[in-house]
Amino acid sequence: MMSAPGRGSALLRSSSRVCAQCARTTPRRTTTAPSPRQPLPVLPLPLVSGRYYAAEAASASASSSPTAPAPPPPVTTSSSETETESATATDPLRYKIKSSLILTRPPLLTREQTPFESAFYLYQKRLNERLTAPFCSKFYFKQDTAADLDWRIKLRERHGVPAKDIGRYNPRGRTAWNDEVLVGSKTSDPQEVVDRLLADAEVRVSEDGEPIAPEERVPVERPMPRRTEADEKNDVRRLDRKLDRTLYLVVRKGEGEDAVWEFPGAIVPTQETLHETAARALAEAAGVNMNTWIVGRVPVAHHIVKPVFREDGKVAERGLKVFFLKGRIMAGQADLSGNKHGLTNFKWLTHEELKEVLPNDYYHSVRGMFELR
């Protein structure tokens, strides 16, 4: 529907009118053509002191640059220890930054079952044997073959129980519900289960269908024991000990009473990040014959050693801020020969053993990141 001619222009004229008072108080808007976008000017960034990892680099940069601000003046002696700490907390010239790597070997075996867990799992197996569909031997073994004859012999020895690791148990008949393990029974003992499986794995019938005499049967190779030679000798330098636990690499710096156990690490220079320094420190300390992986670039823990001040408020000994990163070892072994950090020994320890070796405050700073086992 078209509007009357001239009506639209009248509406536009009426909407453009402004009252006299608004015209006096409101500045008049001028309509100008949009100018092309100009690039933003590049402003020189001021030099910021206090962003250096190493105090030596900060001092060298301040002396070489004439426009760099002067380093902060020394803190005067104060009666309040809190004031001294707050004054030095943000001063990089009072602290050295160190990056350390907590290198771990993950568990290679599952932990041993408790007696209750072994009995519970055996009960679940017997319950499943009784309630599920019966085992169909014709699906797996062709009738009157050597495998079928061997199956029948072993089934009679198990008193008709198809499962190989639940002991002598009758899943049918009136005694079917008597599937719980009695107190003191060795049926659920993991070693007894292994023995039953190994005995069942022996071949009883030859390929031509003739029974094999017991003295002529080929024994099945037993699995390796959970405890290794390193466990028996308590060799803490080997990686094949405590296969069901997490091991941590610690190194010793110095000899005699001055020796200190810690995680491998080094002071962070200006041109490196924390994870780069951790990788370099590990290669310089324990050699390059290890296949390792640093898990992320974010520290998992930190440790602070406060600086020591003289009576005039100046720093007598700089403090230390240690940031810990986490790593994994997949293959290889540590080698301290020719290391650049004065290391004399190394150990692979569990977190309980670390508590006895590391200094108390050092262990307290990192104890929250250890694995449960």
Side-chain angles (χ1 to χ4, degrees), residues 13-28:
R13 287 195 301 270
S14 63
S15 61
S16 61
R17 295 175 183 174
V18 183
C19 63
Q21 185 175 359
C22 294
R24 289 194 301 269
T25 58
T26 305
R28 180 175 297 178

Side-chain angles (χ1 to χ4, degrees), residues 33-308:
S35 59
R37 179 174 296 180
Q38 299 294 334
L40 297 176
V42 180
L43 300 178
L45 296 177
L47 297 177
V48 181
S49 62
R51 296 297 299 276
Y52 298 96
Y53 285 131
E56 291 81 0
S59 301
S61 177
S63 60
S64 61
S65 178
T67 59
V75 182
T76 57
T77 307
S78 174
S79 59
S80 175
E81 185 179 356
T82 306
E83 297 179 1
T84 304
E85 293 179 1
S86 62
T88 59
T90 58
D91 190 355
L93 302 180
R94 309 297 173 94
Y95 286 93
K96 296 180 293 185
I97 304 299
K98 185 176 181 180
S99 178
S100 295
L101 183 63
I102 303 178
L103 190 64
T104 63
R105 188 224 65 187
L108 305 180
L109 299 177
T110 58
R111 63 175 179 84
E112 294 185 1
Q113 298 178 1
T114 63
F116 175 78
E117 290 174 341
S118 301
F120 175 78
Y121 293 144
L122 179 61
Y123 172 73
Q124 292 292 328
K125 292 177 182 178
R126 289 183 171 180
L127 188 66
N128 181 73
E129 175 81 10
R130 186 180 71 243
L131 298 180
T132 57
F135 178 77
C136 183
S137 60
K138 296 181 181 180
F139 180 81
Y140 296 94
F141 308 109
K142 188 176 180 179
Q143 189 175 5
D144 296 334
T145 59
D148 183 49
L149 296 177
D150 185 76
W151 162 260
R152 294 179 186 179
I153 294 174
K154 296 174 181 178
L155 188 64
R156 287 194 300 267
E157 293 179 355
R158 294 195 297 267
H159 297 269
V161 179
K164 304 175 182 179
D165 56 349
I166 63 176
R168 293 185 176 181
Y169 162 70
N170 184 13
R172 295 174 292 275
R174 296 183 178 180
T175 60
W177 294 93
N178 189 18
D179 50 9
E180 296 183 359
V181 181
L182 300 178
V183 177
S185 175
K186 294 184 178 181
T187 307
S188 61
D189 185 19
Q191 188 61 37
E192 294 291 333
V193 173
V194 172
D195 294 338
R196 290 196 299 268
L197 293 175
L198 293 177
D200 187 86
E202 292 182 356
V203 179
R204 311 293 180 85
V205 180
S206 62
E207 295 181 357
D208 54 359
E210 296 295 333
I212 303 177
E215 61 274 7
E216 297 180 359
R217 298 172 185 171
V218 179
V220 181
E221 185 179 359
R222 300 185 65 87
M224 296 294 293
R226 297 178 65 92
R227 289 184 57 85
T228 63
E229 181 183 0
D231 291 323
E232 300 296 337
K233 297 182 179 180
N234 195 24
D235 189 354
V236 294
R237 293 169 62 97
R238 292 174 56 173
L239 277 166
D240 58 343
R241 64 183 295 262
K242 303 290 184 181
L243 299 180
D244 58 344
R245 301 292 305 277
T246 300
L247 298 182
Y248 303 86
L249 175 64
V250 290
V251 293
R252 185 180 66 185
K253 190 173 184 179
E255 292 284 357
E257 298 180 355
D258 298 333
V260 177
W261 287 94
E262 61 183 6
F263 297 108
I267 299 299
V268 182
T270 306
Q271 69 275 10
E272 286 185 352
T273 58
L274 291 176
H275 73 280
E276 292 175 345
T277 302
R280 175 179 58 83
L282 181 64
E284 294 176 352
V288 295
N289 296 325
M290 291 190 299
N291 185 6
T292 58
W293 170 51
I294 298 181
V295 185
R297 301 184 179 184
V298 180
V300 296
H302 72 283
H303 174 65
I304 298 178
V305 179
K306 296 180 180 179
V308 179

